[in-house]
Amino acid sequence: MKKLINDPRAVVAESVQGFGLAHAALVTVSADPLFITRKNVAVAGKVGLVSGGGSGHEPLHAGFVGPGMLDAAVPGAVFTSPTPDQILPAMLAADSGAGVVLIVKNYTGDVLNFETAVELAEAEGVDVRTVIVNDDVAVEDSLYTAGRRGVAGAVLVEKIAGAAAERGDNLDAVAELGNRVNSNVRSMGVALAACTVPHAGTPSFDLAENEIEFGVGIHGEPGRHRLPVEGADGITDRLLDAVLGDLGIASGEKVLLFVNGMGGTPLQELYIVYRRAAELLAGRGAAVERSLVGNYVTALDMQGCSISVLRLDDELTRLWDAPVHTAALRWGA
């Protein structure tokens, strides 16, 4: 294993410390317990937005802390949920009196630990709503979940709910918008090669040179099928067919198309996937109104990508376009 690390046990702490130093104008890092907040975090009268999960998916979630998105993010160990004693102080820091919305990917450990933190926060008088992200159409249950997994759609939920909070929507309205995005986004991923978790030192699963894992999860969990390698267009066809078959986009509808890298795939390849996906959507009569391409929800150094499609309406489009100023997503500010 060759990685730019020191002690595998210190990877998360040292990475977050470096993130805080690099983006000191945007965020503040709390070292013990470990969490990240937006500078001047508690904006009076504004609903606080908090997310988190296992590390290894960078820039998710810390990279989306800042005006227009999250007020706080809570990183766990690699591919491991943060603990309630990390989540609670992040929630308290994000609360300005208008309540807090939690955005939680649907993994059993995340759900349980965030639920415990909610109970503790409510005991301190914080009003909380939770949005569970479960956009992955690959499998209903996996090694990590009961029900569908939460994957790249989390970025879209965080952006749109964050914009709603920024414009002054109340607690229930922000949560409703988060749930609306989750109900209208679907995702599917593929792995060409496994990732290597630092403390393990070996690839998390084995793929032969002529194999791909179709429907893989962002922790390397198995998906629907192990298939022979094929060209980018064929892989894109399979991914998009699964997404659209579940989402049910009709001719004339407007969508956001999101091609997400898993951490080890060059942008050049992601744009080849985007090109084919855009062609297929146009062929079905869908209008691609907005797009996002890049490494936003990764699985360390996994080679592969995911495709997400979000059904848009006028309000969701306006909220997507609203100004955002974070380390990983920035426009209009």
Side-chain angles (χ1 to χ4, degrees), residues 130-211:
T130 301
V131 175
I132 301 293
V133 180
N134 58 354
D135 55 308
D136 189 358
V137 304
V139 291
E140 280 297 327
D141 298 290
S142 78
L143 300 175
Y144 288 75
T145 66
R148 291 183 168 181
R149 303 177 292 216
V151 288
V155 175
L156 312 185
V157 174
E158 290 175 5
K159 170 62 184 81
I160 289 172
E166 205 73 41
R167 74 179 179 185
D169 287 17
N170 66 29
L171 184 65
D172 288 326
V174 173
E176 188 279 328
L177 274 161
N179 285 317
R180 195 201 313 175
V181 174
N182 182 63
S183 296
N184 284 283
V185 63
R186 301 289 187 275
S187 304
M188 173 77 90
V190 64
L192 311 183
C195 60
T196 299
V197 176
H199 62 262
T202 57
S204 56
F205 58 92
D206 294 320
L207 274 178
E209 282 298 312
N210 64 343
E211 290 181 325

Side-chain angles (χ1 to χ4, degrees), residues 236-314:
T236 303
D237 291 358
R238 290 181 186 274
L239 292 174
L240 197 63
D241 283 348
V243 167
L244 296 181
D246 198 278
L247 187 55
I249 292 292
S251 179
E253 289 197 275
K254 299 175 182 180
V255 301
L256 183 156
L257 173 58
F258 176 20
V259 175
N260 173 65
M262 296 290 197
T265 302
L267 271 171
Q268 183 180 63
E269 296 175 28
L270 298 181
Y271 281 116
I272 291 172
V273 172
Y274 183 89
R275 162 195 157 274
R276 177 61 174 174
E279 287 177 352
L280 292 171
L281 283 163
R284 293 178 181 233
V288 180
E289 295 283 306
R290 299 293 184 271
S291 61
L292 188 64
V293 181
N295 290 287
Y296 292 100
V297 182
T298 62
L300 293 170
D301 55 349
M302 184 186 289
Q303 293 179 33
C305 73
S306 63
I307 294 177
S308 303
V309 176
L310 169 64
R311 176 185 285 110
L312 289 173
D313 56 34
D314 289 345

Side-chain angles (χ1 to χ4, degrees), residues 41-242:
V41 58
V43 179
K46 176 190 168 301
V47 171
L49 209 64
V50 179
S51 191
S55 294
H57 305 303
E58 290 77 16
L60 193 81
H61 295 274
F64 304 120
V65 173
M69 284 190 79
L70 299 176
D71 295 288
V74 193
V78 173
F79 295 172
T80 303
S81 171
T83 58
D85 68 329
Q86 292 175 261
I87 301 165
L88 176 61
M91 293 171 66
L92 296 176
D95 181 36
S96 70
V100 172
V101 171
L102 297 178
I103 297 175
V104 183
K105 301 186 304 301
N106 188 36
Y107 295 94
T108 302
D110 287 16
V111 171
L112 291 175
N113 284 345
F114 274 87
E115 283 179 349
T116 300
V118 168
E119 292 173 3
L120 296 171
E122 289 178 338
E124 298 203 27
V126 181
D127 203 1
V128 185
R129 303 289 183 273
T130 301
V131 175
I132 301 293
V133 180
N134 58 354
D135 55 308
D136 189 358
V137 304
V139 291
E140 280 297 327
D141 298 290
S142 78
L143 300 175
Y144 288 75
T145 66
R148 291 183 168 181
R149 303 177 292 216
V151 288
V155 175
L156 312 185
V157 174
E158 290 175 5
K159 170 62 184 81
I160 289 172
E166 205 73 41
R167 74 179 179 185
D169 287 17
N170 66 29
L171 184 65
D172 288 326
V174 173
E176 188 279 328
L177 274 161
N179 285 317
R180 195 201 313 175
V181 174
N182 182 63
S183 296
N184 284 283
V185 63
R186 301 289 187 275
S187 304
M188 173 77 90
V190 64
L192 311 183
C195 60
T196 299
V197 176
H199 62 262
T202 57
S204 56
F205 58 92
D206 294 320
L207 274 178
E209 282 298 312
N210 64 343
E211 290 181 325
I212 59 174
E213 185 75 31
F214 179 70
V216 71
I218 57 173
H219 306 95
E221 314 97 299
R224 287 187 175 184
H225 308 290
R226 187 159 289 190
L227 299 171
V229 171
E230 56 186 321
D233 285 0
I235 291 171
T236 303
D237 291 358
R238 290 181 186 274
L239 292 174
L240 197 63
D241 283 348

Side-chain angles (χ1 to χ4, degrees), residues 29-35 85:
V29 171
S30 166
D32 187 18
L34 188 62
F35 63 93
D85 68 329

